[in-house]
Amino acid sequence: MKLLVCVSFFVATLSFVTGDEPNLFDAFHRPKLNNSSESYKGVNNVSSSSAKHTTLDKAFLQRQDALLFTKVVGYPAVLLPGDGGNQLLAVLNRSEAAHIYCSKSADAFTLWLDLEELLPLAINCFTDNIRLIYDPKTKKSSSPDGVNITVPGFGGTESVEWIDPSHLPFGEYFVGLVNAMVERGYKRGVSIRGAPFDFRMAPNTENAYFSQLKTLIEETYTLNNQRKVVIITHSLGGLFGLYFLNHMEQSWKEKYVQAYAPIASPFAGAAKVMRLFASGDNLDEKVINPLVVRPAQRTYPSSAFLMPSDTYWSANEVLIITPKKNYTVSDFDEFFSDIQFETGKLLRNDTKDLVHDLVAPGVPVFHIHGKNMPTPERFIYDEIFQFPDDQPHVHYGAGDGTVNMRSLKSFLKWKNEQPQQVEEYEIDKGEHLSILQMPQLHQYLLQNVLIPH
């Protein structure tokens, strides 16, 4: 299973405080990087467009004073997950259910990852609860009325180590890396921090999250004897991390950020998102009907955000072949019309320029990604496997199994665009998700980024 776009319907957000989002963080929408530390004051009263965010427990931070390193083993780290990379909780208080067998009310329960939610019939309820509704007036998306989805554990590591709270093997995420760091003297919740986010969303509506992330980095810096922080990301988290760094002042980055270490980041998008929009994605699980999950998958701004970039795919390269028409990066509007999802045009328009130019982050970069994994790059429909409601034939190319190689390598242009170092480390057969458990990854990060000699 690949967690870049395959799992884009398994996403949620933090929702613990109330209040409308003020204009306090409008700096995130400015083309120039012109925000100061003062721009982020008042974070305790800020919520995002789709859900609400919790802030760090000040009492918790006080309790951690005794845990400050007496001997610093390395630079502390903040982990940003990718699609499906953290646990989700849900509370239901709906006036009506999508199906007679779906619950209208429920106390907090695990929505992701709980395999029971993906069983026949149950998955219909799951999909209806996790979908988003787009408001073209505000250009924001929200959950259906009566659905409250939250991400537990901001600032800790549990919810990004395991996406399954029962710790079954199929639910492991950052746990391999965290264990390797702990063995070298790191402490969970002190020198390793988690920063889960609403990855149904794209960065343009997540100002509250970015203010939280800024606070988390500053507090992690303080907790660790004023040691600068390494931002480690996976998949979609790499784009959120880049967007964040692009909107922070250079003086702040030089004080608080030691390095930016994205893992398997789709900097220029991924071709497989086209299949997700057209026919749905069943996570390579035959028991899941992709047409059942498609209505939810289509509604996420993050799905549109991850569409292939017209900078790295040319207008002559066909992404989808059908008997009547072929689609390239120049045909997205027509593509959305033909699959009868007009909202897709609006979502794409909202997100296409957020990191389109791949502005250099202004901090040392260490991108680790896999190679030599067959990766979807073109989808072929015919008279038997019809567009868009059947699953297409797939033509494969180079990449990590989920992200195309041209997207993984697009960051290399930063070598000529910033004075800070820009490094690439490739892992043979490093599949998009399983790379997180590979010792080569752990060793590289520890020796070259976290505890450099």
Side-chain angles (χ1 to χ4, degrees), residues 309-327:
S309 168
D310 60 8
T311 301
Y312 293 89
W313 274 264
S314 76
N316 298 321
E317 292 182 86
V318 177
L319 294 164
I320 290 184
I321 297 174
T322 79
K324 294 182 179 180
K325 177 168 178 62
N326 297 334
Y327 300 91

Side-chain angles (χ1 to χ4, degrees), residues 141-166:
S141 300
S142 58
S143 296
D145 289 342
V147 178
N148 181 24
I149 299 173
T150 62
V151 177
F154 187 86
T157 63
E158 169 66 21
S159 66
V160 297
E161 287 189 67
W162 297 94
I163 54 178
D164 170 28
S166 66

Side-chain angles (χ1 to χ4, degrees), residues 31-154:
K32 294 184 178 180
L33 315 182
N34 189 33
N35 50 319
S36 65
S37 296
E38 285 72 19
S39 300
Y40 297 89
K41 290 180 179 178
V43 63
N44 289 332
N45 297 317
V46 178
S47 65
S48 75
S49 59
S50 62
K52 301 142 193 170
H53 293 254
T54 184
T55 55
L56 293 173
D57 184 343
K58 300 301 180 183
F60 166 80
L61 292 173
Q62 293 171 359
R63 291 194 300 271
Q64 300 308 305
D65 287 346
L67 296 177
L68 288 173
F69 289 162
T70 56
K71 180 180 180 181
V72 177
V73 297
Y75 297 105
V78 169
L79 309 177
L80 276 64
D83 275 355
N86 48 254
Q87 300 169 21
L88 309 177
L89 302 177
V91 174
L92 304 181
N93 185 22
R94 308 190 67 168
S95 59
E96 58 183 11
H99 304 278
I100 192 171
Y101 48 82
C102 296
S103 298
K104 292 190 294 184
S105 62
D107 293 333
F109 65 96
T110 299
L111 186 65
W112 177 250
L113 175 65
D114 182 349
L115 291 184
E116 291 184 2
E117 292 291 325
L118 306 182
L119 294 175
L121 297 185
I123 197 170
N124 297 319
C125 311
F126 174 90
T127 300
D128 188 61
N129 287 331
I130 203 70
R131 66 186 172 91
L132 289 170
I133 300 170
Y134 181 76
D135 185 341
K137 294 181 179 180
T138 64
K139 296 186 177 182
K140 294 181 179 180
S141 300
S142 58
S143 296
D145 289 342
V147 178
N148 181 24
I149 299 173
T150 62
V151 177
F154 187 86

Side-chain angles (χ1 to χ4, degrees), residues 242-445:
L242 177 61
Y243 183 88
F244 171 75
L245 290 169
N246 283 163
H247 289 80
M248 298 304 297
E249 289 188 343
Q250 188 62 33
S251 59
W252 184 91
K253 291 184 283 191
E254 290 175 357
K255 179 177 181 179
Y256 291 106
V257 180
Q258 172 63 22
Y260 165 54
I263 303 166
S265 188
F267 288 116
K272 73 179 303 179
V273 182
M274 301 298 291
R275 179 178 63 182
L276 179 148
F277 275 114
S279 306
D281 197 310
N282 67 355
L283 323 179
D284 296 325
E285 296 291 342
K286 294 182 180 180
V287 297
I288 297 176
N289 182 347
L291 297 184
V292 172
V293 297
R294 183 179 66 178
Q297 292 176 325
R298 286 178 171 181
T299 66
Y300 300 143
S302 60
S303 295
F305 181 47
L306 290 168
M307 294 179 75
S309 168
D310 60 8
T311 301
Y312 293 89
W313 274 264
S314 76
N316 298 321
E317 292 182 86
V318 177
L319 294 164
I320 290 184
I321 297 174
T322 79
K324 294 182 179 180
K325 177 168 178 62
N326 297 334
Y327 300 91
T328 73
V329 291
S330 297
D331 304 311
F332 286 157
D333 281 354
E334 189 171 359
F335 168 74
F336 282 122
S337 293
D338 290 346
I339 65 172
Q340 299 182 10
F341 184 61
E342 294 293 332
T343 300
K345 299 177 185 179
L346 303 177
L347 294 175
R348 177 62 182 167
N349 189 61
D350 291 347
T351 60
K352 63 184 177 65
D353 294 326
L354 296 180
V355 295
H356 179 271
D357 295 334
L358 292 184
V359 176
V363 298
V365 176
F366 300 84
H367 187 201
I368 308 100
H369 63 82
K371 64 178 181 178
N372 294 327
M373 295 295 297
T375 303
E377 70 175 19
R378 186 175 302 114
F379 304 95
I380 304 166
Y381 296 83
D382 54 29
E383 298 298 338
I384 298 176
F385 298 96
Q386 298 184 4
F387 176 81
D389 292 336
D390 290 324
Q391 289 298 300
H393 304 284
V394 180
H395 175 79
Y396 293 90
D400 70 358
T402 291
V403 183
N404 308 92
M405 188 58 71
R406 70 183 80 184
S407 181
L408 292 168
K409 286 183 171 289
S410 58
F411 80 102
L412 289 172
K413 75 187 191 77
W414 296 339
K415 286 180 176 286
N416 300 318
E417 296 178 358
Q418 68 172 35
Q420 298 85 1
Q421 68 187 115
V422 176
E423 303 292 341
E424 178 185 34
Y425 182 64
E426 297 179 288
I427 298 178
D428 190 45
K429 303 298 182 182
E431 189 272 332
H432 185 73
L433 175 60
S434 62
I435 193 174
L436 292 177
Q437 312 309 323
M438 296 182 75
Q440 300 98 306
L441 170 75
H442 309 157
Q443 183 177 11
Y444 179 82
L445 283 171

